[in-house]
Amino acid sequence: MLIPIALMLNLTVANAPFLSIVSPVYRAEQLIDELIRRIQQSIEPITENYEIVLVDDRGPDNSWGRIVAQANRDSRIKGVRLSRNFGQHRAITAGLEHAKGEWVVVMDCDLQDQPEEIPKLLAEAQEGNDIVFARRVDRQDTALKRFSSWSFYRMLSYLTETKQDPAIANFGIYHRKVIDAVLSLRESIRYFPTMVRWVGFRTSAVAVEHAERSEGTSSYNFKRLLYLALDIILAYSDKPLRLAVKLGLGISVMAFIMVLIMLYRFATGQIVVLGYTSLIISVWFFSGLLLSVLGVVGLYVGKVFEQVKNRPLYLVDLAINLDA
């Protein structure tokens, strides 16, 4: 017997929402009310059985005050305030661990990810997909931000040897089994899009409209993107180590060829006194090379040390409506 989709969307246990919307919040005091209003307008025609989980990543403004005010108005709005700023992707992890929905939407709080696109993502998921990414067809960012993002994803694709699409970020809808699989990954370096790709499952993508940022500026400048890329590469790839080995082998081959050339020139009387300049250049070059390779190894050792400490991924200071 076929059950109409409208009825299926509400056949969920009361304590387990059909749909969870998770959003990390940072410097979004002026956007919280509008974000929640547009989310509710977009999803209430589909289902009343939902929750909105907002994670305050301890920004400098009063975002938490706005979250509490909205949560007091509607128990389906849930708030988590972290003890300090842990970063966007750990804040996403906190939201996912408190979300109970069969389907989970992850989106940024700046309204560049438009809530009106959620029904489109859900419709694609209902076609049998476990993961539906939102692909931003026309990014409304500055030229510098687009260039930084393009550079970030190109470097990430090369060094992690996985295809990275700069049009896809956190925004998307994910089945509960995908979220449970992502949460089972307990590494300290978190990057949600890469983790979702790693767990697999049936994946699709839907083109969505990307809005301009209405308030403030992005906290991801070129420097932060560079550090984020470095962390992700160290966490998900050993390619820098393999490149260091290849570089060492290449230089060894070149050195062996140079030795043969020098022996030949010495045997034929072309060299009487070895050059001071070439000696100094060689010492400085190989010293720098050795320090660089040791630095790469040291970065990996440092990340291993960070992981084996097994500290919590985040700490919660305050929460509201989580048991509602």
Side-chain angles (χ1 to χ4, degrees):
M1 176 181 177
L2 296 177
I3 303 176
I5 290 179
L7 181 59
M8 289 177 63
L9 297 183
N10 291 288
L11 290 178
T12 55
V13 181
N15 292 330
F18 172 73
L19 188 62
S20 296
I21 293 87
V22 172
S23 181
V25 174
Y26 185 76
R27 292 193 304 189
E29 178 182 358
Q30 304 302 321
L31 299 173
I32 296 294
D33 295 348
E34 179 70 6
L35 173 67
I36 292 173
R37 182 188 67 80
R38 288 174 59 181
I39 289 174
Q40 291 181 322
Q41 281 186 347
S42 300
I43 65 176
E44 285 185 351
I46 300 172
T47 179
E48 294 284 336
N49 192 12
Y50 67 86
E51 64 179 359
I52 302 174
V53 182
L54 302 176
V55 182
D56 178 18
D57 196 21
R58 207 74 183 199
D61 60 1
N62 190 36
S63 294
W64 179 247
R66 298 311 312 153
I67 292 172
V68 170
Q70 288 287 343
N72 287 330
R73 177 185 63 82
D74 190 335
S75 64
R76 294 173 298 185
I77 300 170
K78 307 176 188 298
V80 178
R81 191 182 201 197
L82 304 184
S83 63
R84 65 171 177 83
N85 179 254
F86 283 90
Q88 181 187 30
H89 295 279
R90 291 197 183 199
I92 289 174
T93 299
L96 297 179
E97 290 192 326
H98 290 92
K100 306 300 181 185
E102 177 186 353
W103 290 95
V104 179
V105 173
V106 177
M107 62 185 301
D108 292 342
C109 67
D110 56 13
L111 291 175
Q112 288 192 278
D113 295 339
Q114 300 190 75
E116 291 78 13
E117 302 286 1
I118 294 176
K120 187 189 299 184
L121 297 173
L122 182 59
E124 180 71 13
Q126 293 293 317
E127 296 296 322
N129 297 295
D130 301 309
I131 300 169
V132 180
F133 291 118
R135 177 177 284 115
R136 300 165 290 183
V137 294
D138 184 17
R139 293 189 58 177
Q140 301 299 311
D141 290 315
T142 64
L144 178 61
K145 177 67 184 297
R146 291 196 299 270
F147 174 74
S148 299
S149 180
W150 177 84
S151 303
F152 169 78
Y153 282 107
R154 284 296 298 269
M155 180 170 63
L156 196 59
S157 296
Y158 174 70
L159 290 176
T160 61
E161 297 181 332
T162 57
K163 184 179 180 181
Q164 303 287 337
D165 187 347
I168 293 176
N170 302 315
F171 192 23
I173 189 167
Y174 312 92
H175 191 268
R176 167 52 51 187
K177 63 184 179 184
V178 176
I179 298 302
D180 290 341
V182 169
L183 291 177
S184 71
L185 308 178
R186 304 310 294 175
E187 52 258 42
S188 59
I189 299 176
R190 317 292 293 181
Y191 186 61
F192 181 69
T194 299
M195 298 172 80
V196 168
R197 287 184 175 88
W198 187 89
V199 300
F201 300 105
R202 184 170 177 180
T203 303
S204 180
V206 170
V208 300
E209 295 294 328
H210 190 236
E212 293 184 3
R213 190 181 182 95
S214 57
E215 291 283 343
T217 58
S218 173
S219 59
Y220 279 107
N221 53 30
F222 184 80
K223 182 179 179 181
R224 289 196 64 182
L225 282 173
L226 186 62
Y227 285 158
L228 177 62
L230 180 61
D231 277 346
I232 296 167
I233 290 160
L234 294 175
Y236 296 98
S237 173
D238 64 351
K239 190 165 185 176
L241 291 174
R242 289 185 278 120
L243 288 175
V245 172
K246 291 179 180 179
L247 178 61
L249 290 174
I251 291 176
S252 297
V253 171
M254 291 173 59
F256 181 72
I257 294 172
M258 289 300 298
V259 166
L260 295 178
I261 293 174
M262 291 302 163
L263 287 175
Y264 172 78
R265 295 183 66 191
F266 180 78
T268 57
Q270 299 180 44
I271 297 178
V272 179
V273 179
L274 296 177
Y276 172 81
T277 302
S278 60
L279 178 63
I280 294 300
I281 291 174
S282 298
V283 170
W284 279 97
F285 175 74
F286 286 106
S287 297
L289 178 63
L290 287 172
L291 288 174
S292 298
V293 172
L294 286 174
V296 171
V297 175
L299 286 173
Y300 277 96
V301 172
K303 295 304 177 183
V304 171
F305 172 69
E306 183 179 333
Q307 181 67 39
V308 298
K309 287 189 289 187
N310 199 29
R311 290 179 177 175
L313 297 176
Y314 60 89
L315 295 173
V316 174
D317 180 18
L318 300 168
I320 187 169
N321 284 346
L322 290 187
D323 296 326

